Amino acid sequence: MKILANDGIDPIGKTILENAGFTVDTNHIPQAELADRLNEYDAITVRSATKVRKELIDACPNIKAIGRGGVGMDNIDVEYARSKGIAVVNTPAASSHSVAELVFAHLLTGVRFLHDSNRKMPVDGNVNFAALKKQYAAGVELKGKTLGVVGFGRIGRETAKIALGMGMDVVYYDLFEGPKALTLDFSGNVTVDIPVKQVELNDLFAVSDFISLHVPFLDKPAIGKEEFALLKDGVGLVNASRGGVIDELELINALNSGKVAFAGLDVFDDEPTPRVDLLKHPKVSLTPHIGAATNEAQERIGEELAQLLIDNLKK
Ligand code: NAD
């Protein structure tokens, strides 16, 4: 059987599939040519780039499985594929810890102005060293502060664990009832249960020094004009979930007014062309949707995807 890994696959995943007797093609076929060429394969794996829509599925009746390396399946017509008997699988948990660590990269960046100093120091060099040193003098510690986590699923919980490990308090909001404590694993087989508190969204806004968003794409932003008014003055925000979860225009207003001290953004309304005033804003720390982009996450994604495809194709 032949598998097209159209958006790539970690070498570990490729090896697992090849050891199981599959041929894996990692050459990328452009979207426009897929309908003509995909039928040579038995399965396709994608990340977020390749779209597997109804028309492509109809054009390629040989396809028996579609694998998504990662979480969101918005680029696949999942229900339609399943109605045609095609297995559709993804690897939702493999990147959670990597995304959570990126959230803390943004938080630590925000509280110590790394985003701004990394932009300015190469330009100003020694000339404004003292001025910049003064400008960045009022950093704050995360320890002892409250992190509000909106969406307490896989990534929200991983983020909360890191926060607890750093001595932060955690409150969270989720549509469903969640845990009252999280178990932290330390080296030497030491585990500790630490309380977390589920609250209403407005209460989270009122008490949080920092807020991290971990909900799926929603019909309306979780933080829009009305919600910004409810946040603590000087709050720090991180969005590593989906563009549109924060209203970007309102965010810029809130950054300019000082309501929001800084924002860390990994995702944007318009990817790959985010709005320029956001990209250039001195209070915004930016990454180009790289939450899952660690070697460890890619290995886990590759391994899990390979195993899921084997399980489904060898049934
Ligand atoms: P998950 O499904 O495990 O968790 C989402 C949580 O949000 C669930 O607990 C759900 O009950 C809750 N929820 C859903 N709608 C809600 C709402 N309206 N209000 C409050 N809570 C709500 O998902 P996850 O794996 O933790 O992923 C979270 C987000 O991170 C998703 O948007 C995903 O696409 C994104 N993500 C980003 C990257 C990246 O590279 N930045 C990587 C992976 C995932």
Side-chain angles (χ1 to χ4, degrees):
M1 284 200 198
K2 275 176 76 178
I3 297 174
L4 175 67
N6 208 43
D7 298 333
I9 187 166
D10 187 88
I12 291 186
K14 185 167 186 269
T15 305
I16 293 172
L17 287 167
E18 286 170 347
N19 288 345
F22 294 93
T23 302
V24 182
D25 184 353
T26 54
N27 290 313
H28 176 77
I29 299 179
Q31 188 77 45
E33 294 172 29
L34 271 176
D36 288 334
R37 296 172 55 191
L38 183 60
N39 211 34
E40 298 166 29
Y41 299 88
D42 299 278
I44 179 171
T45 72
V46 299
R47 301 297 309 267
S48 55
T50 301
K51 318 285 176 231
V52 188
R53 298 282 173 230
K54 178 177 181 296
E55 299 69 35
L56 182 61
I57 293 166
D58 284 339
C60 305
N62 273 347
I63 289 292
K64 298 164 196 68
I66 301 167
R68 160 70 160 104
V71 189
M73 302 228 266
D74 13 331
N75 54 326
I76 302 169
D77 283 341
V78 177
E79 292 315 317
Y80 187 73
R82 287 185 176 146
S83 77
K84 296 274 169 185
I86 299 170
V88 186
V89 295
N90 66 345
T91 60
S95 62
S96 303
H97 189 76
S98 294
V99 181
E101 287 197 4
L102 185 72
V103 169
F104 274 83
H106 280 295
L107 282 175
L108 289 164
T109 292
V111 290
R112 303 307 292 272
F113 313 106
L114 304 190
H115 50 309
D116 201 47
S117 62
N118 279 332
R119 283 167 185 152
K120 287 187 180 149
M121 286 190 70
V123 179
D124 294 343
N126 287 331
V127 182
N128 279 341
F129 197 95
L132 290 175
K133 194 172 157 91
K134 202 169 161 192
Q135 187 184 336
Y136 306 137
V140 294
E141 294 181 348
L142 295 180
K143 187 173 180 181
K145 305 296 187 310
T146 298
L147 177 70
V149 180
V150 180
F152 213 55
R154 290 172 291 258
I155 300 172
R157 290 177 200 209
E158 281 303 306
T159 302
K161 284 186 189 178
I162 299 175
L164 296 171
M166 291 180 77
M168 300 182 82
D169 292 322
V170 172
V171 296
Y172 72 89
Y173 168 74
D174 198 283
L175 288 180
F176 301 100
E177 196 177 329
K180 294 191 169 24
L182 290 180
T183 304
L184 269 60
D185 298 309
F186 294 99
S187 60
N189 282 337
V190 178
T191 60
V192 183
D193 288 344
I194 306 188
V196 287
K197 197 170 168 199
Q198 185 162 14
V199 295
E200 290 303 324
L201 190 55
N202 287 356
D203 295 331
L204 181 148
F205 291 153
V207 300
S208 298
D209 302 299
F210 306 97
I211 294 175
S212 192
L213 297 159
H214 300 290
V215 285
F217 181 76
L218 307 171
D219 292 342
K220 94 181 227 321
I223 305 192
K225 192 177 172 76
E226 282 174 26
E227 290 78 16
F228 273 110
L230 303 174
L231 305 181
K232 259 190 173 181
D233 289 341
V235 66
L237 295 180
V238 178
N239 185 14
S241 58
R242 278 288 179 264
V245 171
I246 294 182
D247 182 319
E248 290 184 349
L249 188 59
E250 294 302 335
L251 173 62
I252 291 170
N253 292 337
L255 288 162
N256 289 341
S257 73
K259 179 77 188 175
V260 173
F262 70 86
L265 301 177
D266 186 46
V267 291
F268 304 87
D269 276 357
D270 292 319
E271 295 183 18
T273 51
R275 49 186 304 155
V276 174
D277 49 358
L278 203 52
L279 297 184
K280 293 197 166 170
H281 202 290
K283 293 183 182 174
V284 180
S285 162
L286 302 153
T287 46
H289 205 150
I290 54 161
T294 64
N295 295 340
E296 292 83 355
Q298 295 311 308
E299 281 176 15
R300 285 192 296 267
I301 287 171
E303 271 172 9
E304 269 187 52
L305 199 55
Q307 203 49 59
L308 286 165
L309 287 175
I310 292 166
D311 293 347
N312 279 283
L313 291 169
K314 291 208 159 170
K315 261 182 196 166

